[in-house]
Amino acid sequence: MLSPTQLMELAARTGVDAIALTDHDTTDGLVEAHEAARRLGVTLIDGVEISVSWGPTTIHVVGLRIDPKAPELVAGLDSIRAGRIERAKKIAEALEQCGVPGTLEGALALAQNDAMIGRTHFARHLAERGAVKDIQAAFDKYLAKGKRAFVPHQWAKHEDAVKWIRAAGGVAVLAHPGRYDLKPSFRHALLEEFRSFGGEAIEVVTGSHRPEEYATWRRIAEEYGFLASRGADYHGPGESPYEPGSLPPLPATLTPVWSKWAH
C-alpha cells in the first residue's frame, strides 16, 4: 500500500534496526527504497518473497540479502509474474458471475503494475466500492480457497524458489510457517524438504503469527536447526497488525538470520 520511499520513512520514524523490502515476486521497488534509505539513514536489506505451490498449499519463501540482478532470480520471478494477469482476468470473470462486475480495472488501478496483480488487490477494490465490509470479508465471501471467485494458480516450485535465492547469494527463509494450517506430518515434510533444498531459516516472530505461536516456532527452529527471522510482514496501514519495529525481540535461545552478515 505504501511506496518504497514511504516504507523507508515509516521505518525511520519507528526506529527499526534494519528493514528488508520483500515484495511478492518482484524486486522492482529496491532501487527507490535504497535511495530513500540512504537519505534517511535506514539499514535496508535487499529481499523478495516468492510464491510457491506446495501441493494444494501456497507457501511463501523469503530471500534475504539477495542480489536483485542475479540472472537466475530475475528469470524465475519473470516466469511467476507472467501468469498473474491471466489469473486476474479469470478472477474478474468469476466475480462478474457473482454479481460484481468491473473489478479488473479497479484491481489493476490498485496494483499499478499489471504483472503484480493478485487477490489482495481485488479484495481492496471490493472493500473500497462497498461490495464487502473489509478486505477479510472479500476473501471470506469470494476469494479464499473454495469460494466462488477463487482461481488456483501454479506458482514456483519449492526447490526452484530456494535455488533462485541461493543463486542470488541470498538466504532462504520460510515465511510465516504458522499460517499454512498444515497437519504435523505435512508440516514436518515441508520443513524437511525446505532444509534439504538449502533453506536456512524460518520466521518465528512475525506479524502473521499470533503471540502465543512464537514459542511453538522457537521450539521448531531449535529442533530443525534453523536460523530465526523476525519481521512485521507489513503490507500497509489498516491492513497489518504490526508496524515495522513494533514486534518483540526473538527469543534469546535462537540464532538470528542476520547473524550471517551483521557484525
Side-chain angles (χ1 to χ4, degrees), residues 19 24 26 39 53-54 62 66-67 71 74-75 87 93 103 108 116 134 160 180 210 216 221 224 240-241 259:
I19 187 167
H24 283 267
T26 185
R39 174 170 53 82
S53 292
W54 194 73
V62 162
I66 57 165
D67 172 5
V74 170
R87 181 191 189 217
E93 290 169 3
T103 56
L108 284 170
M116 291 313 303
D134 56 27
D160 287 345
Y180 303 129
R210 298 186 303 275
T216 297
Y224 286 83
S240 302
S259 67

Side-chain angles (χ1 to χ4, degrees), residues 8-248:
M8 294 306 107
E9 290 170 347
L10 175 62
R13 288 197 303 273
T14 56
V16 302
D17 298 310
I19 187 167
L21 178 59
T22 55
D23 281 329
H24 283 267
D25 307 315
T26 185
T27 60
D28 288 353
L30 288 172
V31 171
E32 179 186 330
H34 271 290
E35 291 174 356
R38 282 192 292 269
R39 174 170 53 82
L40 296 162
V42 172
T43 300
L44 173 64
I45 307 300
D46 285 335
V48 68
E49 186 167 2
I50 301 177
S51 305
V52 169
S53 292
W54 194 73
T57 303
T58 298
I59 67 170
H60 296 144
V61 178
V62 162
L64 295 179
R65 218 179 185 218
I66 57 165
D67 172 5
K69 297 180 180 178
E72 195 167 348
L73 176 65
V74 170
L77 296 180
D78 284 346
S79 70
I80 298 175
R81 293 197 298 268
R84 278 185 176 265
I85 186 63
E86 292 306 315
R87 181 191 189 217
K89 292 176 181 177
K90 293 177 182 177
I91 291 173
E93 290 169 3
L95 286 168
E96 186 161 4
Q97 293 173 6
C98 293
V100 191
T103 56
L104 181 60
E105 295 76 9
L108 284 170
L110 291 170
Q112 298 184 357
N113 180 346
D114 291 6
M116 291 313 303
I117 189 169
R119 288 184 299 164
T120 301
H121 300 113
F122 282 95
R124 288 180 189 147
H125 173 66
L126 290 170
E128 286 182 2
R129 68 189 276 179
V132 292
K133 68 175 182 178
D134 56 27
I135 289 170
Q136 186 59 51
F139 279 92
D140 293 343
K141 187 173 183 179
Y142 297 115
L143 297 167
K145 186 177 180 181
K147 302 303 181 181
R148 291 176 63 192
F150 174 76
V151 177
H153 184 72
Q154 185 63 41
W155 302 110
K157 294 179 180 178
H158 191 195
E159 182 176 11
D160 287 345
V162 177
K163 183 176 69 172
W164 298 340
I165 290 166
R166 289 172 61 85
V171 180
V173 183
L174 185 64
H176 44 67
R179 253 180 51 181
Y180 303 129
D181 194 27
L182 297 172
K183 293 180 180 178
S185 60
F186 288 104
R187 182 178 72 191
H188 174 71
L190 173 62
L191 293 169
E192 285 283 2
E193 187 178 276
F194 178 67
R195 185 169 61 179
S196 73
F197 292 152
E200 297 182 66
I202 62 173
E203 287 185 344
V204 174
V205 176
T206 164
S208 288
H209 284 173
R210 298 186 303 275
E212 58 267 27
E213 292 179 289
Y214 299 161
T216 297
W217 291 101
R218 174 194 59 77
R219 176 183 57 78
I220 290 172
E222 292 172 340
E223 177 184 341
Y224 286 83
F226 284 123
L227 300 172
S229 190
R230 166 181 177 261
D233 196 12
Y234 181 74
H235 285 201
E239 192 171 313
S240 302
Y242 293 95
E243 287 189 333
S246 64
L247 283 168

